[in-house]
């Protein structure tokens, strides 16, 4: 039997297997495309973040096609056991080499699934604070108030403490204002309330709180607490601080500030040394 006859015999033997494998690849490829589209629609209906939705779709697509190729190879008669073992060992080695990256990937999936924050929120975590510019699979990008870009790994971000200042619609704004001991407390309270009530951004339910919180060394301190929409927090904080100062000035209410009295003693060679009592009075 010559080599042509051998090839013909091998072709006759493998032709049905090859044909079956090609049919399986063709049908399987189509079914994988349909399954990926169905998965994307299901994730869309579940309001899954688009970044995570596309990533999961791609991951499922690649995994299913890899299984399809292995199945087709086994149908032809190619031994796939060793191939699977090599693939598993390679996957283990890659996983060990990329432990940190895999942790960040898992963190990204958790963030995109459970949504502790979203793009546009102002958050504080891992010693950093800023507005969320984007959530990627491995990292989250923050923009600081002075327009710096900070990239935070998703692993620590998903597993550590996090403060989201934008999650709730309202926030409380706290102030402390001091007046002199000679000033009238009731009058000062009325002045403060008049400033607060004039600002339409400040909520009246719950009503603003104006109470005496401490009798300090040189001032009587008012603690003032008001509620407002989260986006108005800093404008209200700055505007109210300025308006209270102007209102206090107009009402002749003093705002104490630290003062120090210094006693100066002139000393020369003919004068007597300062006594211990005099030295104790020198600040």
């Amino acid at each position: 039997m010559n080599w042509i006859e051998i090839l013909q015999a091998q072709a006759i033997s493998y032709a049905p297997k090859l044909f079956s494998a090609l049919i399986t690849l063709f049908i399987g490829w189509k079914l994988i495309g349909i399954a990926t589209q169905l998965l994307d629609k299901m994730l869309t209906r579940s309001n899954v973040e688009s970044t995570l939705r596309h990533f999961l779709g791609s991951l499922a697509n690649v995994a299913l096609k890899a299984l399809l190729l292995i199945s087709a190879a086994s149908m032809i008669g190619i031994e796939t056991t060793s191939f699977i073992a090599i693939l598993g060992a390679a996957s283990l080695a890659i996983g060990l080499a990329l432990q940190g990256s895999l942790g960040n990937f898992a963190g990204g999936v958790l963030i995109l699934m459970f949504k502790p924050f979203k793009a546009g929120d102002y958050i504080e975590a891992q010693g950093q604070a800023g507005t969320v510019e984007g959530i990627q699979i491995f990292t989250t990008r923050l923009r600081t108030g002075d327009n710096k870009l900070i990239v935070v790994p998703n692993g620590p971000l998903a597993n550590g403490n996090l403060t989201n200042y934008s999650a709730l619609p309202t926030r409380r704004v706290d102030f402390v204002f001091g007046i002199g001991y000679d000033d009238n407390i009731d009058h000062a309270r009325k002045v403060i309330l008049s400033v607060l009530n004039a600002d339409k951004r400040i909520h009246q339910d719950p009503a603003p709180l104006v109470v005496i919180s401490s009798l300090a060394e040189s001032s009587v301190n008012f603690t003032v607490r008001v509620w407002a929409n989260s986006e108005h927090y800093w404008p209200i904080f700055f505007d109210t601080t300025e308006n209270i100062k102007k209102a206090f000035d107009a009402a002749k209410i003093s705002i104490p500030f630290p003062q120090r009295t210094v006693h100066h003693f002139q000393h020369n060679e003919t004068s007597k040394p300062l006594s211990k009592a005099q030295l104790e009075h020198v600040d």
Side-chain angles (χ1 to χ4, degrees), residues 202-260:
I202 295 176
H203 296 177
Q204 295 301 315
D205 185 18
L209 176 70
V210 182
V211 295
I212 297 293
S213 57
S214 64
L215 301 177
E217 183 178 351
S218 59
S219 63
V220 178
N221 290 337
F222 282 95
T223 289
V224 178
R225 294 174 177 173
V226 301
W227 287 87
N229 294 342
S230 296
E231 64 269 20
H232 294 154
Y233 181 92
W234 287 113
I236 286 177
F237 182 86
F238 295 129
D239 292 345
T240 302
T241 301
E242 178 179 344
N243 293 335
I244 289 292
K245 173 62 169 67
K246 292 178 178 178
F248 277 3
D249 290 344
K252 306 300 182 182
I253 297 173
S254 62
I255 300 178
F257 53 89
Q259 301 183 57
R260 173 174 294 180

Side-chain angles (χ1 to χ4, degrees), residues 96-116:
L96 292 174
L98 300 176
Q99 290 183 63
S101 297
L102 291 176
N104 292 330
F105 163 74
V109 172
L110 291 175
I111 290 171
L112 292 170
M113 286 183 62
F114 296 104
K115 299 180 181 178

Side-chain angles (χ1 to χ4, degrees), residues 17-32:
K17 297 179 181 179
L18 181 61
F19 181 75
S20 298
L22 291 175
I23 292 297
T24 301
L25 281 174
F26 178 78
I27 296 175
W29 214 267
K30 293 292 184 180
L31 291 176
I32 288 173

Side-chain angles (χ1 to χ4, degrees), residues 25 32 60-74 84 87:
L25 281 174
I32 288 173
N61 187 276
V62 171
L64 290 174
K65 287 180 178 178
L67 291 174
L68 177 63
L69 291 173
I70 292 173
S71 300
S74 65
I84 294 174
L87 184 62

Side-chain angles (χ1 to χ4, degrees), residues 122-130 142 144 150 152 156-157 160-163:
Y122 188 88
I123 66 170
E124 182 178 356
Q126 300 301 310
Q128 306 293 339
L142 304 179
T144 64
I150 300 176
V152 184
L157 195 60
N161 294 332
L162 183 146
T163 302

